[in-house]
Amino acid sequence: MTFTTAENMTTELLSGQPDGVLRAGELLRLGQVVAIPTETVYGLAANALDKTAVLRIFQAKGRPQDNPLIIHIAAFDQLKTLCLEIPPAVDLLARQFWPGPLTMILKKSSIVPACTSAGLDTVGIRMPAHPLARAVIQAAGVPLAAPSANLSGKPSPTNAQDVLEDMAGRIPAILDGGPCGVGVESTVLDLTGSVPRILRPGAVTQEMIAQALGAVLTDQSVLRGLAPGEPVLAPGMKYRHYAPKAPVVLLDGPPETTFQALLAQRLPEDGVVCFEEFWAKLEDRNCACSLGTSWDYAGQARRLFSLLRQFDRTEVRRILIQCPRSCGKSAGIVNRLRKAAGFSSLDCRRGRRVLGLTGRSGSGKSLLSKRLEQQGALVLDADAIYAQLLQGDPDMIAAIARRFPGATNQGQVDRKALAAVIFPDETARLD
């Protein structure tokens, strides 16, 4: 299938079959740009070692050339020609997270053109988990530079149709590999300093990296953006990213609080993104979407960019979004939302007093909570939230299974068995 624009450039939509992979590899060897699927988002790929081909990426995206690109490889041995040295941490991380959504920043060799690394002496490299991405790299016979396959600043594409929307008539071909499994870009980890630093959060979390390496920091730019004059060390650090046409209003705080703020803020011409558990409470669902349940971070990541793109097909004035909690696997989602909102958000927790109730069974906690709720207080039942997470958070269930063997049964937590292990043991309670 082909698509032609008024400029008469034709874009082929290639199937994910072997002939499509071979065609993509052929175009890449000729110095052309091809959109390819990865497990994170679709990438706009070109020969990372060919300056002319790399410049075609910047031209197709409308991307500033001081924004570095990530190089994608299909085999660990390809690192040897791309980097000056390979620290021991690289091998440790690659064994656990490659192929997968982790980019490592290393000192680059002279074979990497300055335009690929935006003039830096470092370069980001990863091995994608998507089999089609690795097959294309092998078919091309060269490492591929591949930023997200969208017009610069827009939400990243997670399916071939999203790429076509932005890139039809701008590039020769798009390889259709179906929807992306992760949904947000890779974690970017800088290994060139004394302590590893996360420059962009993603599916490989700080906790996961710390288990492999020990000490690891998250750069402050993840939380606030770059300060004036700070160097751009990784993609997505400097410019407006992931943003739909309408401005994003990010609502920070507990889900129940942000939902009430959303209802109070919403105007008829606003779009809405809320958590699934509040969907039924919306009286007007026009231009309103569910991000998924508040604890399903993997599902949120898969939905995020496609939801933001949906609003570009509407006339909404602004988009109100409930912000997930920023912890573990949600850090990447929150980072993308903060960038989409220009690192501005509405703090829905201000002016609230927080009262914690604890006590033995029968001490009156439930009665007092009910009375407070009747008077307009927001009541959060920690036991109910914990039980909900034990049922719906696979990461928590897996962590409990590792730490407390015998506390799970057929993929579910046995709360009685868990309590029998934890309560008699003070060390276990602290864990």
Side-chain angles (χ1 to χ4, degrees):
M1 190 178 299
T2 61
F3 299 85
T4 304
T5 64
E7 291 79 14
N8 291 322
M9 175 181 276
T10 298
T11 299
E12 294 181 72
L13 186 60
L14 307 173
S15 76
Q17 300 302 312
D19 58 341
V21 171
L22 291 175
R23 174 61 176 156
E26 176 188 19
L27 288 167
L28 290 163
R29 286 195 303 276
L30 292 172
Q32 296 299 320
V33 176
V34 177
I36 64 172
T38 78
E39 75 278 17
T40 57
V41 299
Y42 273 70
L44 203 58
N47 182 349
L49 309 182
D50 180 342
K51 178 180 177 180
T52 301
V54 169
L55 291 176
R56 287 188 175 120
I57 293 176
F58 289 103
Q59 182 179 16
K61 280 182 64 73
R63 180 186 178 102
Q65 292 184 28
D66 62 348
N67 201 357
L69 306 179
I70 291 170
I71 296 180
H72 294 64
I73 61 176
F76 188 85
D77 284 349
Q78 290 179 284
L79 279 177
K80 296 175 182 177
T81 59
L82 299 171
C83 305
L84 288 178
E85 59 180 17
I86 302 175
V90 174
D91 188 59
L92 285 172
L93 292 167
R95 288 176 186 275
Q96 292 198 39
F97 304 117
W98 277 7
L102 175 66
T103 294
M104 294 186 254
I105 292 185
L106 304 165
K107 293 289 184 180
K108 77 178 184 72
S109 70
S110 59
I111 198 175
V112 178
C115 60
T116 300
S117 63
L120 300 171
D121 63 354
T122 59
V123 65
I125 303 173
R126 88 175 184 99
M127 186 190 300
H130 200 299
L132 281 183
R134 295 200 307 280
V136 170
I137 297 168
Q138 291 169 341
V142 291
L144 300 179
S148 55
N150 54 281
L151 292 173
S152 189
K154 289 187 64 174
S156 301
T158 54
N159 59 69
Q161 289 302 312
D162 288 347
V163 181
L164 190 63
E165 188 175 85
D166 283 8
M167 291 295 151
R170 289 176 169 266
I171 60 175
I174 300 165
L175 181 65
D176 189 349
C180 299
V182 175
V184 296
E185 295 83 356
S186 61
T187 302
V188 175
L189 181 68
D190 184 358
L191 292 171
T192 62
S194 57
V195 179
R197 282 187 306 151
I198 293 174
L199 303 182
R200 182 178 74 187
V204 178
T205 66
Q206 180 171 347
E207 293 80 5
M208 293 162 69
I209 296 169
Q211 284 185 349
L213 297 184
V216 60
L217 303 174
T218 293
D219 197 85
Q220 286 300 303
S221 64
V222 169
L223 306 175
R224 55 162 171 74
L226 280 182
E230 278 191 89
V232 181
L233 301 177
M237 293 183 71
K238 182 175 182 180
Y239 296 98
R240 185 173 181 259
H241 277 71
Y242 320 118
K245 290 187 299 185
V248 169
V249 178
L250 202 57
L251 305 171
D252 261 330
E256 292 80 2
T257 306
T258 56
F259 182 68
Q260 292 303 316
L262 184 151
L263 294 178
Q265 288 277 327
R266 188 182 185 187
L267 298 173
E269 61 268 32
D270 289 338
V272 163
V273 178
C274 69
F275 298 126
E276 181 67 29
E277 55 263 43
F278 300 104
W279 181 255
K281 300 179 182 180
L282 284 175
E283 293 184 5
D284 179 6
R285 297 179 188 171
N286 183 45
C287 290
C289 303
S290 167
L291 187 59
T293 53
S294 59
W295 62 88
D296 180 12
Y297 304 134
Q300 292 169 13
R302 286 192 294 270
R303 292 183 183 93
L304 176 60
F305 288 141
S306 61
L307 290 182
L308 293 180
R309 281 180 164 268
Q310 284 181 30
F311 286 110
D312 280 352
R313 304 180 190 110
T314 72
E315 298 299 324
V316 297
R317 186 177 68 94
R318 57 180 185 167
I319 307 168
L320 307 178
I321 303 180
Q322 283 188 282
C323 187
R325 305 171 180 88
S326 184
C327 60
K329 288 193 174 181
S330 71
I333 308 155
V334 173
N335 171 257
R336 302 320 188 269
L337 284 170
R338 294 205 185 288
K339 287 184 177 180
F343 286 96
S344 176
S345 62
L346 179 62
D347 189 347
C348 303
R349 294 163 293 200
R350 291 177 181 170
R352 285 185 174 269
R353 290 187 174 88
V354 178
L355 175 66
L357 299 178
T358 185
R360 295 181 179 276
S361 297
S363 63
K365 299 190 302 296
S366 298
L367 177 61
L368 179 55
S369 297
K370 185 175 181 180
R371 294 287 174 83
L372 290 170
E373 193 169 30
Q374 289 171 346
Q375 295 181 34
L378 172 65
V379 174
L380 302 178
D381 186 331
D383 284 341
I385 293 171
Y386 176 59
Q388 198 173 43
L389 288 173
L390 288 182
Q391 293 175 1
D393 190 328
D395 293 328
M396 178 179 283
I397 294 169
I400 289 172
R402 287 193 301 270
R403 177 61 182 85
F404 304 108
T408 60
N409 183 19
Q410 296 183 342
Q412 296 296 317
V413 175
D414 184 332
R415 297 185 70 185
K416 289 184 178 179
L418 181 61
V421 175
I422 289 177
F423 287 122
D425 184 343
E426 183 176 354
T427 302
R429 288 201 302 274
L430 291 174
D431 285 347

